[in-house]
Amino acid sequence: MPYLDKYFSNSVKFFLFLTVLTPLIILKGVLFPYVAGKVFFFRGAIEIALILSFIYLLYCLYKNNWKLVRQPVDEDWKLFKNPLFIALVLFFISLIVSVIFALNDYRAFWGDLERGEGFFGMLHFFAFLILTLLFFNKTDWLRFFKISLIVGFILSFYAFLQYLGVKNFPFALMPMPRPDSFIGNSAFLATHMFFLMIFAAVVFSESFHSLNLKQSQVKSFNFSIFQSLNFKFWRYFSILMLIISALTIFISGTRGAILGLAAGIIFLLAYFLIFGNRVFSGIGLPLNINFRQLSLILLILIIGSAIIFWSTKTDIFWQSVPGLNRLAKTAALDINDSSTQMRLLAWKASFNAFLERPIIGWGPENYIFAYAKHYDPDYAVYGETWFDRAHNKILDILVMQGVFGLISYLAIFAAIFYVIFKKITERKFAFIFIAAVILAYFIQNIVLFDQIVSYSAFFSIIGFLIFSSTRLPEENLNRTISSQSGWSEFFLRWKLIIAPLLLMFIILLVYSLYAYHFVVYNQLRALQRSPGLGNIDLVVGELKKALKPYNFAQLNIRSQGLDTIYLGQYFYNEAYRNNPKFKSLGDLWINAAEEILNREPYADVRMNIRLAEMLDQLAFNDSSLYDKVEKVLMAALQKAPKRQELYYHLSVNLAKQNRLEEALKYSDYVLGLNDNVTRAHFYKGLVLAANNKDEEAKKEIAIAEEIDSKYPALLPEDKKSMVMLYAGWGMVEKIAELAVKNIDNIAAFPMEKKDYENALRYDLLIHNSQNSIKIAEFLSQYEDLRDDMEIIIDLVKNKNWKIIDNLD
């Protein structure tokens, strides 16, 4: 029995320690490589740890001998009196209630692959916390944090390689001005740095405590030297990681994290100003320093620097300071700060959505449905992207879990500070530092949201704080619970009921490992392999593997499969679309989109748009499909009544049905929502052109170009239509203009070789030397034109226009 205790305990701990590596996991060759691998890795480790724990519990019940490595719940149910644990349980109760009453309960429970949340995902974080409470002692927590610091060092090291543009290094990532390391998002990388600071503070504090303890207890010279070196290493390494983490936040250019860091520092200094030297007692710092005066001086310097920065933020100097360069561009009232404006509009829509369902919210992972219904048309001025999060954690909770959810979420933070300030008395410095960093994390989440890396780190901090405030005396951490213990008595008394339940959970967890890890991974791989197989039967066969069975990842697999591959390669490719040989491919994707909308009536509105686009292209050979497209779009408008993109498609669809007056009515309606949107004017131009009102159409297209001549809001198919319009109107000068914009990387219009040739003829005709040379140099990449282009370039440079004018 003792051997099994140790075996199971160490096995469970191994998989818990393994979760520390989650930030480093990248699963290349699949959708969402920076997220999918982390989801599979973290969930898989937790599920295996749970399986081992349940097997061990079954063995204990069989032997009528109950034993745990660490018992967090003593006879007086101490854990359930812990305010932090109570707040966390209330938060999960809020989640359960929100799932039950969610608009889309399937998505609320399972989440999706892109975010890795939903109630199913959150259960894994809760299970992680419970397992640490059951199996971790103080030494385990320190090991966990130390390994985390090593992983954090790797993350920061590769972030700096990215920032400095270093490519020739093992596993080097793509250079980026805002590095994201192995996490895949610069903002999420900055968030993780906050947790590394907490880990560093705990390790730093414990290294001092342990060093002093060992030096006073151990008499062996060699042993004490070894221990001393070990403790000193972690002491200095933790200080190094504090510095590196702060620097990584700055090079990530994440404004919210920088503001959060500033708030945390101000909090610390204010605390030091009040409590002074008492904060540093027992950690070995020189106490002849007057920390109150030092804190006051630093506070004055920080506030003064902030005033100077804000007053001179337009100065060119700040553009050379990492992190501050982006912060200097922040302007809540400046329409040119599109990032800030998009967030403000999203927050407005989020608050309106909250007001509709204020008590329990729309449900986890249902934010995108709430956002679609309360979408603000002004958002389209800055780009018609879709938000599945409010980029504000408070509003995310309000929308998805309502007031009940927000109160329980805020209660977690209140309990954290309560535990720190009221329950923790020893080694105060580390816990005050934890409080400061938690505040910084909370502040930065006002403009961000959580994801798998931040959740796993946050739950580890919660677990550590609960452990620290409920732990038993050191000598009782490893013990056999007596038969009189409440827990052992409860489990042994009800073992005939508990044992089958444990067995059922083990079976469910094994099934989960297969169905929601192995199967989903194979589906992702099948999707990636499918387009390169060549033979249409092989492609369809591989896609069937990717699309079946239906699971939580299918929304992502089908959406991304269409967006990145098959919409363009098949449905918008006339040669393939009109070939009967490939009809099975089109039918497969139509059925895949329809299945999502049938299974999840409140599925992402973008799936309606994808289905409408597919059917619209097929309608070129079957006009009866236009009516089906209209119905799909009208269903979408029920979910997103003010989303301009839906009206664009609907107006074009009606025009194709020769219902031109209705089409123009919708075009005018969408302009009434906001007439400063490029695509709104462009699509009205398309409808007018379909109505043979070319002059009016040209005016609308001109207005679209006046709003933004770079056309960032237009999609590739929009730009293709614009080129066709100009060609149909014989406006060669516009074709030439677009060709030059393409070459100069100002815009990206899908133009063919003949379009560039026509553009060259026009610029030669009007004797535009600069543009003629640009286009000729571009065309020289074609082998059949290379010699002719070299001659033309030479003639233009020598201004031999008479010869050029006589060329064919």
Side-chain angles (χ1 to χ4, degrees):
M1 187 73 175
Y3 173 78
L4 280 176
D5 292 338
K6 185 176 181 181
Y7 172 79
F8 277 105
S9 172
N10 289 338
S11 298
V12 172
K13 287 180 182 181
F14 171 78
F15 285 101
L16 293 177
F17 285 134
L18 206 61
T19 62
V20 173
L21 302 179
T22 301
L24 299 178
I25 304 301
I26 299 177
L27 193 61
K28 293 185 177 180
V30 300
L31 299 175
F32 312 113
Y34 289 95
V35 180
K38 291 176 175 59
V39 169
F40 294 150
F41 185 81
F42 182 84
R43 290 183 181 179
I46 297 303
E47 290 180 9
I48 293 173
L50 283 171
I51 290 171
L52 292 171
S53 301
F54 291 155
I55 291 174
Y56 177 53
L57 294 183
L58 280 174
Y59 182 80
C60 290
L61 290 174
Y62 173 73
K63 289 292 186 178
N64 286 330
N65 191 350
W66 186 262
K67 185 176 181 181
L68 289 176
V69 174
R70 179 183 184 275
Q71 177 66 1
V73 188
D74 58 12
E75 287 78 0
D76 62 354
W77 300 74
K78 193 173 183 180
L79 176 65
F80 294 97
K81 297 178 181 180
N82 185 290
L84 183 50
F85 187 80
I86 293 171
L88 193 64
V89 170
L90 288 175
F91 179 76
F92 272 86
I93 291 174
S94 166
L95 270 175
I96 293 171
V97 173
S98 296
V99 169
I100 293 172
F101 295 98
L103 195 67
N104 185 333
D105 54 356
Y106 179 88
R107 200 54 57 188
F109 183 87
W110 291 106
D112 62 18
L113 190 61
E114 183 178 8
R115 300 300 179 196
E117 293 183 40
F119 185 69
F120 183 68
M122 296 301 294
L123 274 178
H124 286 77
F125 300 120
F126 188 71
F128 165 78
L129 180 140
I130 296 299
L131 288 172
T132 60
L133 291 176
L134 288 172
F135 289 92
F136 272 16
N137 56 33
K138 186 179 74 171
T139 301
D140 296 320
W141 276 117
L142 284 176
R143 287 174 181 166
F144 186 89
F145 292 157
K146 288 174 180 178
I147 299 171
S148 297
L149 288 179
I150 294 172
V151 170
F153 178 81
I154 296 172
L155 287 172
S156 292
F157 178 77
Y158 277 91
F160 275 93
L161 290 184
Q162 282 183 290
Y163 182 73
L164 297 173
V166 177
K167 296 181 181 178
N168 299 321
F169 195 86
F171 307 108
L173 303 166
M174 184 69 66
M176 297 178 67
R178 295 184 60 200
D180 54 14
S181 193
F182 294 97
I183 291 183
N185 183 294
S186 55
F188 297 156
L189 173 65
T191 300
H192 192 62
M193 294 300 110
F194 286 128
F195 296 110
L196 291 178
M197 290 178 178
I198 292 177
F199 303 154
V202 175
V203 171
F204 176 83
S205 176
E206 290 295 337
S207 68
F208 268 113
H209 175 74
S210 300
L211 179 58
N212 294 336
L213 182 65
K214 291 295 182 183
Q215 287 177 337
S216 65
Q217 293 179 349
V218 180
K219 303 300 182 182
S220 170
F221 176 77
N222 291 330
F223 183 75
S224 63
I225 288 293
F226 174 78
Q227 289 289 82
S228 177
L229 289 174
N230 179 49
F231 294 134
K232 285 181 179 179
F233 168 79
W234 287 109
R235 170 181 167 182
Y236 293 120
F237 184 68
S238 59
I239 294 174
L240 175 65
M241 284 308 301
L242 280 172
I243 297 170
I244 289 177
S245 298
L247 292 175
T248 304
I249 288 175
F250 276 93
I251 67 169
S252 75
T254 307
R255 292 177 286 187
I258 294 171
L259 291 175
L261 182 62
I265 292 173
I266 291 173
F267 171 86
L268 272 182
L269 293 176
Y271 190 89
F272 296 162
L273 181 63
I274 298 172
F275 294 99
N277 291 355
R278 283 183 293 166
V279 178
F280 299 95
S281 60
I283 66 168
L285 291 180
L287 295 179
N288 57 337
I289 298 175
N290 191 320
F291 288 103
R292 286 187 173 181
Q293 289 184 1
L294 180 60
S295 300
L296 179 60
I297 293 171
L298 291 175
L299 274 173
I300 293 172
L301 286 175
I302 290 174
I303 295 172
S305 299
I307 294 173
I308 293 172
F309 167 73
W310 202 251
S311 302
T312 62
K313 65 177 183 175
T314 56
D315 192 278
I316 194 171
F317 168 77
W318 299 114
Q319 302 308 313
S320 61
V321 181
L324 296 183
N325 55 349
R326 294 194 72 243
L327 195 62
K329 297 176 182 178
T330 303
L333 301 178
D334 186 354
I335 61 172
N336 294 316
D337 183 2
S338 59
S339 178
T340 301
Q341 295 305 315
M342 289 165 72
R343 276 177 167 77
L344 291 174
L345 289 168
W347 295 350
K348 176 183 174 183
S350 300
F351 187 73
N352 290 334
F354 154 70
L355 292 177
E356 182 175 342
R357 303 183 68 163
I359 306 302
I360 56 175
W362 294 67
E365 298 302 315
N366 277 229
Y367 176 86
I368 196 166
F369 317 130
Y371 174 73
K373 184 173 182 181
H374 293 274
Y375 173 81
D376 189 334
D378 292 345
Y379 186 86
V381 173
Y382 305 98
E384 298 183 61
T385 54
W386 294 78
F387 271 20
D388 66 342
R389 292 292 186 276
H391 287 73
N392 180 308
K393 185 66 177 182
I394 300 299
L395 286 171
D396 274 343
I397 298 292
L398 271 178
V399 172
M400 292 189 278
Q401 292 175 243
V403 172
F404 181 26
L406 180 62
I407 292 173
S408 60
Y409 178 74
L410 295 178
I412 293 174
F413 287 89
I416 287 174
F417 285 99
Y418 177 82
V419 166
I420 288 173
F421 289 109
K422 299 295 183 181
K423 298 294 185 181
I424 309 298
T425 56
E426 59 184 48
R427 292 184 291 286
K428 183 177 288 186
F429 173 82
F431 292 103
I432 294 305
F433 200 92
I434 291 174
V437 180
I438 288 294
L439 175 65
Y441 161 69
F442 183 86
I443 294 294
Q444 69 99 42
N445 257 2
I446 293 176
V447 291
L448 198 61
F449 52 92
D450 278 308
Q451 31 69 46
I452 185 168
V453 175
S454 65
Y455 271 127
S456 59
F458 185 52
F459 273 76
S460 70
I461 297 301
I462 292 176
F464 173 72
L465 290 175
I466 293 175
F467 164 85
S468 300
S469 57
T470 60
R471 68 181 181 212
L472 300 172
E474 295 293 328
E475 63 272 14
N476 294 329
L477 285 179
N478 294 290
R479 62 173 184 162
T480 301
I481 304 302
S482 69
S483 60
Q484 302 302 316
S485 171
W487 271 110
S488 59
E489 183 181 347
F490 172 81
F491 276 93
L492 294 174
R493 177 184 299 175
W494 296 96
K495 70 177 183 178
L496 292 179
I497 296 175
I498 294 173
L501 287 176
L502 290 174
L503 184 61
M504 181 185 70
F505 285 138
I506 291 171
I507 294 172
L508 288 175
L509 287 166
V510 172
Y511 176 78
S512 176
L513 285 170
Y514 169 75
Y516 305 123
H517 298 76
F518 180 75
V519 170
V520 174
Y521 172 73
N522 283 335
Q523 289 177 328
L524 293 170
R525 293 293 297 151
L527 176 67
Q528 292 300 110
R529 289 192 299 263
S530 62
L533 296 177
N535 183 286
I536 185 60
D537 293 329
L538 294 177
V539 171
V540 171
E542 200 68 13
L543 280 176
K544 287 180 179 179
K545 296 177 185 177
L547 303 179
K548 297 292 181 181
Y550 194 90
N551 52 45
F552 73 94
Q554 281 302 307
L555 178 64
N556 303 115
I557 290 173
R558 300 181 191 197
S559 299
Q560 293 297 311
L562 285 169
D563 290 348
T564 61
I565 305 172
Y566 289 98
L567 267 176
Q569 290 190 14
Y570 176 78
F571 290 97
Y572 282 102
N573 189 321
E574 187 177 355
Y576 287 102
R577 188 182 68 238
N578 293 336
N579 190 335
K581 179 181 177 182
F582 300 106
K583 184 177 183 298
S584 58
L585 180 61
D587 292 342
L588 181 68
W589 279 110
I590 294 292
N591 293 334
E594 288 179 337
E595 182 182 19
I596 286 180
L597 294 174
N598 289 333
R599 284 177 175 266
E600 302 178 50
Y602 285 96
D604 189 342
V605 181
R606 287 172 290 184
M607 189 54 68
N608 292 74
I609 296 175
R610 295 180 185 102
L611 179 57
E613 288 185 75
M614 291 188 287
L615 293 171
D616 181 71
Q617 293 301 307
L618 296 177
F620 281 111
N621 296 323
D622 182 3
S623 59
S624 65
L625 291 176
Y626 285 128
D627 179 64
K628 190 173 182 179
V629 174
E630 181 183 353
K631 291 177 180 177
V632 170
L633 292 172
M634 293 303 291
L637 283 171
Q638 295 297 313
K639 295 187 279 188
K642 292 184 179 180
R643 187 80 196 195
Q644 290 105 315
E645 187 173 356
L646 298 174
Y647 291 101
Y648 303 153
H649 289 286
L650 182 59
S651 60
V652 171
N653 170 265
L654 293 172
K656 290 178 179 178
Q657 295 185 64
N658 294 317
R659 293 157 61 184
L660 299 174
E661 289 187 8
E662 292 179 70
L664 284 173
K665 181 185 72 173
Y666 283 113
S667 296
D668 289 332
Y669 174 77
V670 80
L671 280 171
L673 294 174
N674 190 307
D675 65 355
N676 197 36
V677 177
T678 302
R679 292 188 80 197
H681 288 281
F682 170 73
Y683 271 89
K684 185 174 182 181
L686 284 181
V687 172
L688 288 168
N691 203 17
N692 295 319
K693 297 181 179 180
D694 290 343
E695 294 306 313
E696 294 181 51
K698 291 176 184 178
K699 290 180 181 178
E700 291 297 332
I701 300 296
I703 294 173
E705 185 173 7
E706 184 180 343
I707 293 173
D708 196 337
S709 60
K710 296 180 181 179
Y711 297 110
L714 295 187
L715 300 180
E717 288 305 314
D718 299 337
K719 294 177 179 180
K720 183 178 180 180
S721 298
M722 180 172 284
V723 173
M724 293 174 62
L725 278 178
Y726 283 142
W729 289 331
M731 299 176 67
V732 186
E733 71 279 7
K734 299 301 295 184
I735 298 291
E737 184 181 325
L738 296 181
V740 173
K741 286 183 177 180
N742 276 0
I743 295 169
D744 290 340
N745 294 317
I746 296 174
F749 282 82
M751 299 176 69
E752 299 178 2
K753 176 182 172 183
K754 64 179 181 179
D755 295 318
Y756 287 100
E757 290 177 318
N758 290 333
L760 177 59
R761 290 190 185 96
Y762 174 78
D763 282 319
L764 290 174
L765 181 64
I766 64 173
H767 296 180
N768 188 322
S769 302
Q770 183 179 359
N771 288 350
S772 295
I773 292 173
K774 283 183 180 180
I775 299 173
E777 288 177 343
F778 176 84
L779 287 171
S780 64
Q781 67 180 300
Y782 298 100
E783 188 174 348
D784 60 323
L785 296 177
R786 187 171 301 148
D787 293 339
D788 292 339
M789 293 303 106
E790 289 178 358
I791 293 172
I792 288 174
I793 291 170
D794 183 64
L795 291 172
V796 173
K797 287 182 177 179
N798 292 309
K799 298 185 178 181
N800 292 320
W801 294 111
K802 288 185 178 181
I803 298 175
I804 293 172
D805 291 341
N806 291 321
L807 294 175
D808 292 334

